[in-house]
């Protein structure tokens, strides 16, 4: 027999409660992400007004879809309840910040994480220690308070900082990875890793050029 299963009134009420809790959780993530993005925008505009250079090329935000949250929770054996998801899935809210220079990445991370209501949950520095395939970026999971009518929630937001060269490499590698559904031929994998080394040399060369133009100020903030 087909059709909807018989649901008791209690089942319907429970479903409505879960739906509302999930909606409230997602709102918290959206507001947390928007707040962190605004903090980064403020740093960008301040720098653009007061200094010659703008440390941020672009910022993008993304909220994981309910489907991909559930898929990730299943992969990582995280129970499907709000507290467990909040603890176990730390990239529901994500921000990507693309800078021109490596020095800008570290300066921005310092400025953001020095803000008193922002706490740092984890830092993964894949610039200092790239992944074996050559992936480089600095990942910081920060927590920021969001004040809803029900009280404050501390929302984790994953911020990925990288240079233009790192971003170009990562988006190309991502496309190749998906085209081959993760099973990338060995020769291509080697070329991808070589390309990451080329991107890293490009970052070094750009930093040298900047130093040649601005001297030591290039490493500490440009005037
Ligand atoms: P999306 O859609 O970009 O978010 P996990 O988060 O559990 O998968 P881990 O080790 O805790 O894994 O996280 P990690 O290493 O901090 O990296 C997670 C995110 O970094 C990925 O998110 C990618 O955005 C990016 N990333 C990490 N390694 C690579 C890589 O080798 N190539 C590329 N192109 N990106 C990478 P998601 O969830 O894959 O997707």
């Amino acid at each position: 027999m087909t059709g909807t299963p018989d649901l008791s009134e209690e089942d319907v009420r429970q479903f409505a409660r879960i739906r509302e809790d999930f909606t409230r959780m997602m709102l918290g993530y959206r507001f947390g992400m928007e707040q962190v993005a605004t903090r980064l925008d403020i740093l960008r505009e301040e720098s653009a007004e007061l200094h010659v250079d703008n440390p941020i090329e672009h910022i993008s935000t993304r909220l994981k879809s309910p489907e991909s949250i559930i898929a990730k929770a299943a992969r990582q054996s995280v129970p499907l309840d709000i507290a467990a998801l909040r603890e176990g899935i730390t990239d529901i809210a994500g921000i990507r910040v693309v800078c021109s220079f490596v020095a800008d990445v570290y300066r921005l991370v310092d400025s953001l994480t020095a803000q008193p209501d922002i706490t740092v949950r984890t830092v993964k520095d894949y610039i200092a220690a790239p992944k074996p395939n050559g992936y480089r970026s600095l990942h910081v999971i920060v927590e920021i308070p969001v004040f809803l009518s029900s009280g404050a929630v501390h929302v984790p937001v994953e911020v990925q900082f990288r240079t233009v060269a790192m971003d170009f490499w990562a988006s190309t590698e991502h496309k190749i990875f998906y085209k081959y559904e993760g099973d990338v031929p060995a020769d291509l994998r080697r070329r991808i890793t070589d390309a990451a080394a080329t991107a890293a040399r490009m970052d070094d060369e750009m930093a040298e050029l900047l130093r040649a133009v601005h001297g030591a100020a290039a490493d500490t903030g440009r005037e």
Side-chain angles (χ1 to χ4, degrees), residues 62 64 72 76 91 96 124 126 131 133 135 139 158 160 162 169-171 173-174:
R62 73 105 185 86
K64 251 192 189 343
K72 187 162 185 176
Q76 303 196 344
D91 65 344
R96 190 165 289 152
K124 288 185 190 169
Y126 298 123
K131 287 195 167 183
N133 63 356
Y135 176 78
H139 296 187
E158 185 193 75
Q160 298 182 348
R162 52 173 72 152
W169 181 91
S171 63
E173 188 265 357
H174 190 258

Side-chain angles (χ1 to χ4, degrees), residues 39-160:
R39 305 288 177 94
L40 289 160
D41 260 332
I42 290 170
L43 292 171
R44 165 168 49 190
E45 285 193 33
E46 183 198 4
S47 195
E49 289 287 326
L50 299 178
H51 306 286
V52 178
D53 297 299
N54 175 358
I56 301 178
E57 289 292 329
H58 50 91
I59 300 175
S60 55
T61 57
R62 73 105 185 86
L63 215 48
K64 251 192 189 343
S65 66
E67 292 75 16
S68 67
I69 294 172
I70 291 168
K72 187 162 185 176
R75 273 199 311 278
Q76 303 196 344
S77 308
V78 174
L80 281 183
D81 70 72
I82 304 292
L85 289 175
R86 209 182 275 294
E87 193 52 39
I89 314 281
T90 49
D91 65 344
I92 292 175
I95 301 183
R96 190 165 289 152
V97 185
V98 177
C99 300
S100 306
F101 300 96
V102 175
D104 291 334
V105 164
Y106 287 104
R107 237 187 336 263
L108 263 179
V109 172
D110 287 347
S111 302
L112 181 71
T113 57
Q115 299 187 1
D117 58 348
I118 288 186
T119 51
V120 176
R121 202 150 134 177
T122 59
V123 177
K124 288 185 190 169
D125 189 347
Y126 298 123
I127 299 177
K131 287 195 167 183
N133 63 356
Y135 176 78
R136 294 185 308 142
S137 277
L138 183 60
H139 296 187
V140 185
I141 296 169
V142 294
E143 272 188 8
I144 188 161
V146 170
F147 299 94
L148 298 172
S149 61
S150 48
V153 277
H154 292 266
V155 176
V157 179
E158 185 193 75
V159 193
Q160 298 182 348

